């Protein structure tokens, strides 16, 4: 896990960079003599570059040495932040955020795939959680420190700190990260086909809807709490949300490895976050209950992506990096869509305390999508077993069956064929094996 920790350091820097900008917008706008709304477009530039670069570049670079691509991606990200720190105008600032976002998107996709390849299958959940924990910790610890540094020095000093952390991560990864087996090249048609893959699309769709609800609502937490409970100081509650995020990120990995019930965990996490949204407005006037709701929300929201990534690596073994990149894109696009929809709703006169209810409804849709995909996968596995049984006669007695050797579905699980790619998905394994308790991918 020590080598995975190096990848988590890069993820920490990504989490800091992605979330600190919202707290720096007023001082950036004042420094560049522009409006907060225009300065806010640097968040949009970073987000869109991140979302578009992840599936495009990561897909094009399958077959290349992952360590080299990870280092280049992190270098591009670090360069973009260095340019942000010295940008003299809004135009150059926006361009620098595009550069940083492009590097971040590729690094995020490849670092999760590399983390899973560096450990045995039974420790994959812990490895993915460690990388996700790095990003959540960057949000919880790094963002307040970055804002504090901006208040006492300047926003450029904060971006200088992000640049320095990126350089440290590059040095550590270059010296200590081992070579990771490369995935075989994926043709363009196959990369595009991942979007319509019936095993991949529902998982990515759940991530998108979850981000629309959770991250979109987080953007407007201050007006929500003010409208619901006349809460003035929102900072302690942001810390509660972030602390929950760290807790969920660190605990979910061992839980995935120990139980193996990936689909059941996703359903439970979506339900927990939805309930937290539903009670947010009613308990806004009770600080202790409000803090508890935010801890649950943060823990469930950050923990969700570990089992989601687990599913993608298992059901899409031959294009795991592409599937992970699509999932990362869905997260950032969902965040952008959620923020835009929340802003439009507030501008149209919707009271702030109604937003959590809307977010809970969107999470309900994501839960229905997840459960529907699980039933479809289970039905497909049942039909496959029936076909194998119908085709087996006396001549085939004692011969290995297609289901037994190539893949197996257990309970509500999803089968993953043998072969894997680049060490990401190895021999035939079972994902979310229901009551069997078998360790899963």
């Amino acid at each position: 896990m020590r080598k995975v920790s190096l990848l988590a350091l890069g993820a920490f820097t990504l989490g800091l960079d992605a979330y600190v900008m919202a707290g720096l917008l007023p001082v950036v706008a004042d420094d560049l003599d522009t409006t907060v709304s225009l300065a806010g477009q640097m968040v949009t530039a970073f987000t869109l570059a991140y979302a578009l670069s992840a599936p495009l570049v990561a897909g094009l670079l399958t077959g290349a040495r992952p360590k080299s691509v990870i280092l280049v991606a992190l270098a591009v990200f670090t360069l973009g932040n260095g340019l942000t720190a010295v940008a003299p105008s809004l135009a150059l600032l926006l361009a620098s955020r595009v550069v940083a976002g492009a590097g971040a998107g590729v690094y995020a996709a490849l670092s999760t795939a590399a983390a899973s390849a560096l450990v045995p299958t039974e420790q994959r959940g812990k490895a993915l959680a460690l990388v996700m924990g790095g990003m959540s910790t960057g949000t919880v610890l790094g963002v307040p420190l970055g804002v504090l540094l901006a208040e006492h020095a300047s926003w450029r000093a904060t971006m200088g700190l992000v640049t320095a952390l990126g350089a440290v991560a590059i040095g550590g990864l270059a010296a200590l990260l081992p070579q990771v087996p490369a995935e075989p090249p994926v043709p363009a048609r196959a990369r595009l086909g991942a979007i319509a893959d019936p095993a991949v699309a529902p998982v990515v769709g759940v991530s998108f809807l979850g981000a629309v609800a959770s991250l979109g609502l987080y953007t407007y937490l201050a007006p929500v709490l003010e409208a619901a409970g006349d809460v003035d100081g929102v900072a302690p509650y942001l810390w509660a949300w972030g602390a929950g995020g760290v807790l969920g990120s660190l605990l979910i990995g061992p839980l995935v490895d120990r139980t193996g019930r990936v689909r059941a965990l996703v359903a439970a996490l979506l339900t927990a976050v939805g309930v937290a949204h539903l009670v947010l407005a009613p308990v806004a006037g009770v600080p202790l209950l409000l803090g508890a709701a935010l801890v649950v929300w943060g823990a469930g929201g950050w923990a969700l992506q570990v089992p989601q990534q687990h599913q993608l690596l298992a059901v899409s073994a031959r294009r795991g990096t592409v599937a992970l990149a699509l999932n990362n894109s869905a997260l950032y696009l969902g965040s952008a869509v959620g923020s835009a929809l929340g802003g439009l709703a507030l501008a149209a006169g919707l009271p702030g305390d109604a937003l959590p209810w809307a977010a809970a409804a969107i999470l309900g849709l994501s839960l229905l999508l997840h459960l529907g995909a699980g039933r479809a996968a289970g039905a497909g596995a049942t039909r496959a077993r029936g076909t194998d049984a119908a085709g087996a006669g006396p001549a085939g007695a004692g011969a290995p069956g297609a289901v037994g050797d190539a893949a197996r579905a257990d309970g509500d699980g999803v089968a993953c064929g043998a072969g894997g790619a680049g060490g990401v998905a190895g021999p035939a394994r079972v994902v979310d094996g229901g009551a069997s308790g078998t360790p899963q991918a």
Side-chain angles (χ1 to χ4, degrees):
M1 286 294 170
R2 184 175 59 183
K3 296 168 183 176
V4 177
S5 299
L6 295 171
L7 296 168
L9 175 60
F12 175 93
T13 310
L14 261 65
L16 168 58
D17 190 36
Y19 287 91
V20 76
M21 279 300 172
L24 301 181
L25 291 183
V27 292
V28 171
D30 183 63
D31 184 44
L32 297 180
D33 194 24
T34 187
T35 64
V36 171
S37 60
L38 285 176
Q41 298 311 305
M42 65 182 182
V43 177
T44 303
F46 180 92
T47 300
L48 290 178
Y50 185 114
L52 294 175
S53 69
L56 179 62
V57 178
L60 289 173
L61 293 178
T62 51
R65 287 182 174 272
K67 178 178 178 178
S68 300
V69 180
I70 285 172
L71 290 173
V72 170
L74 193 56
V76 170
F77 166 76
T78 303
L79 174 63
N81 285 307
L83 293 174
T84 299
V86 298
S89 66
L90 180 62
L92 291 177
L93 180 65
L94 294 177
S96 70
R97 299 316 296 155
V98 170
V99 174
V106 176
Y107 178 84
L110 293 181
S111 63
T112 49
S116 69
L118 287 172
V119 297
T121 301
E122 62 273 14
Q123 295 182 6
R124 178 181 289 173
K126 185 177 180 181
L128 291 173
L130 188 58
V131 176
M132 185 62 66
M135 184 168 286
S136 64
T137 305
T139 303
V140 178
L141 300 180
V143 169
L145 291 176
V147 173
L148 186 65
L149 179 60
E151 290 175 352
H152 288 81
S154 71
W155 68 271
R156 297 183 187 277
T158 298
M159 298 314 301
L161 172 63
V162 176
T163 304
L165 288 174
V168 170
I170 291 171
L173 288 169
L176 301 176
L177 184 69
Q179 288 293 343
V180 181
E183 292 187 1
V186 181
R189 180 177 298 180
R191 291 197 303 271
L192 295 175
I195 302 174
D197 188 327
V200 173
V203 180
V204 173
V206 168
S207 292
F208 173 78
L209 291 174
V212 170
S214 185
L215 295 178
L217 182 62
Y218 174 79
T219 303
Y220 301 101
L221 185 60
V224 166
L225 297 185
E226 183 179 3
D230 199 24
V231 177
D232 186 23
V234 74
Y237 301 108
L238 293 176
W239 277 92
W241 183 87
V246 172
L247 187 66
S249 298
L250 296 179
L251 292 181
I252 189 62
L255 188 60
V256 167
D257 291 335
R258 187 163 52 248
T259 68
R261 303 198 61 170
V262 181
R263 288 191 178 278
L265 286 172
V266 170
L269 291 170
L270 289 172
T271 301
V273 176
V275 170
H277 286 176
L278 288 174
V279 304
L280 200 63
V283 305
V286 185
L288 187 60
L289 293 179
L290 177 58
L294 285 163
V295 168
V296 172
W297 170 13
W302 279 97
L304 177 64
Q305 286 312 307
V306 172
Q308 286 287 88
Q309 292 167 349
H310 227 272
Q311 290 186 86
L312 289 172
L313 286 170
V315 302
S316 188
R318 284 179 290 181
R319 50 188 176 202
T321 300
V322 177
L324 288 175
L326 285 173
N327 193 62
N328 285 331
S329 294
L331 287 173
Y332 271 73
L333 287 175
S335 176
V337 170
S339 298
L341 291 177
L344 289 174
L346 293 176
L350 188 74
D353 54 1
L355 289 184
W357 297 90
I362 296 172
L363 281 171
L365 290 176
S366 68
L367 179 59
L368 290 176
L369 175 60
H370 173 71
L371 295 176
R375 283 193 295 268
T382 300
R383 286 194 298 270
R385 286 196 296 267
T387 301
D388 288 338
V403 174
D405 276 9
R408 180 164 64 90
D410 211 356
D412 62 348
V414 178
C416 173
V424 172
R429 296 183 298 273
V430 182
V431 181
D432 195 18
S436 70
T438 307
Q440 283 119 29

